[in-house]
Amino acid sequence: PCLSDFVARSPNVKTVGDCVKIFVELGVHVVDTTTMLLEHVNIEKDRVVAEGAQGFKLDLVHGNYPYVTSSQVTAPSFFSLMGVGEWIYSSDFVHVVGVAKIYETKVGGGHFPYEIPESSQLVSFRNIAGEYGANTGRPRKIGYIDLDALNRAFKVNGVTEMVLAKADLGNVFTSHLGPLKAYYKGECINIPLGTNNEMLEFLSNLIRKKFGSWLSIRGSFSPYLDGFNEHPEIEPIQLS
C-alpha cells in the first residue's frame, strides 16, 4: 500500500512501465520488519522510535467516522502493524510520547466543536503558523484545545510523556485571535496572557490537574519560524 500510494502521488508516473521501474528501485528497501526490529532490539540493543502518521481523531476505530483515515493510527496499533506484538506486554520497555499543539487544527469535514470562525486575522495566523495540510496543502481549520478529547487520546494510546507543540506561537496566537482557551467537560478555561513560557506552564499544569498528574510535559519550537527567541521548554512540575 505504501508503494502504491507513493506512485499515485508521483507526477512522473504515467505508464505501467513507470510503475514497474519505481517498484524495482524501491523494492531493495523492503524487508521483513518483524525480524529486523527484533534483531535490532534483542541482539543489537538499539532503541526503536516509531512516529505516528496522523492525529488520534483520524483513527479508523476511535476517530470521528466517516471522517477518518484508512487505518489505525494509535500507539497500540504499532505493535501489530510492525509485527512486534511481544513488545506490548513490556510496559518498562515501551514509552509513548503524546504530541498536541497548544491549539487544535483539523483538515476536512467532521466534528470540530471549538473551531474559530474564519476571518482575516485567522488567515494571517494560519500563514504564520504554516497550518496547511502536509500532503494536500489544504488550509487547516483552527480551534481551541479540547481537553476531553486529549484525555481520551491519552487513555487509548497509553501516553507516558507529552510534548506541547507550537509553544513559541502563544503570543502570536493571542495577538491575532485573542486569549488561548481550553475546554474541559463543557467549561471554557481562559489561559492568562503572559510570555510563551507562562502560557505553556499554565496549560501544562491544567492538563496535569485535570487528568494527567503523572505526565512529564515539555514544549517544542516551530523550527521553520524565525524571530521567536523565547525558549518554550519547561521542566516537569510535580503537582500534589
Side-chain angles (χ1 to χ4, degrees):
C2 294
L3 290 174
S4 299
D5 183 68
F6 174 81
V7 168
R9 294 176 186 273
S10 176
N12 298 321
V13 176
K14 302 184 184 303
T15 67
V16 174
D18 294 335
C19 292
V20 171
K21 181 180 179 182
I22 290 177
F23 286 145
V24 170
E25 291 175 353
L26 295 181
V28 296
H29 302 289
V30 177
V31 299
D32 178 354
T33 55
T34 298
T35 300
M36 180 189 72
L37 289 173
L38 292 178
E39 284 181 353
H40 274 284
V41 172
N42 297 332
I43 299 175
E44 303 296 334
K45 306 302 180 183
D46 292 330
R47 290 185 177 184
V48 174
V49 177
E51 180 184 6
Q54 292 169 315
F56 171 72
K57 289 183 180 180
L58 293 177
D59 185 81
L60 181 61
V61 174
H62 299 282
N64 182 26
Y65 190 86
Y67 304 101
V68 295
T69 189
S70 58
S71 62
Q72 289 189 264
V73 300
T74 59
S77 66
F78 159 79
F79 301 105
S80 60
L81 291 172
M82 300 300 290
V84 286
E86 67 181 58
W87 292 355
I88 200 169
Y89 302 108
S90 178
S91 58
D92 292 333
F93 177 76
V94 177
H95 301 276
V96 179
V97 180
V99 180
K101 298 174 185 176
I102 60 173
Y103 52 88
E104 282 202 29
T105 59
K106 178 177 175 59
V107 173
H111 188 55
F112 194 41
Y114 306 120
E115 180 180 357
I116 300 172
E118 282 290 318
S119 66
S120 59
Q121 289 292 91
L122 185 71
V123 171
S124 177
F125 176 76
R126 180 185 290 128
N127 290 335
I128 293 172
E131 294 297 357
Y132 292 89
N135 290 319
T136 65
R138 289 183 295 172
R140 292 176 180 144
K141 301 174 183 177
I142 297 172
Y144 301 111
I145 192 166
D146 183 349
L147 295 184
D148 297 295
L150 190 62
N151 188 16
R152 173 75 175 171
F154 282 6
K155 291 178 179 178
V156 172
N157 286 281
V159 171
T160 58
E161 303 170 45
M162 184 180 182
V163 171
L164 281 167
K166 301 296 182 82
D168 53 342
L169 290 179
N171 281 322
V172 181
F173 184 101
T174 58
S175 66
H176 283 74
L177 303 170
L180 284 164
K181 299 177 182 180
Y183 283 83
Y184 186 68
K185 298 189 182 301
E187 175 190 4
C188 176
I189 304 168
N190 286 309
I191 297 173
L193 296 176
T195 66
N196 288 335
N197 280 333
E198 288 168 344
M199 288 187 283
L200 175 63
E201 184 171 355
F202 183 92
L203 181 55
S204 300
N205 288 335
L206 179 64
I207 291 170
R208 291 194 186 95
K209 287 178 179 178
K210 294 300 185 183
F211 55 83
S213 59
W214 73 93
L215 281 170
S216 166
I217 304 178
R218 293 183 178 273
S220 70
F221 283 115
S222 305
Y224 52 86
L225 299 177
D226 294 323
F228 299 97
N229 298 318
E230 283 189 272
H231 197 297
E233 185 173 81
I234 62 172
E235 291 300 320
I237 300 172
Q238 294 298 324
L239 300 177
S240 58

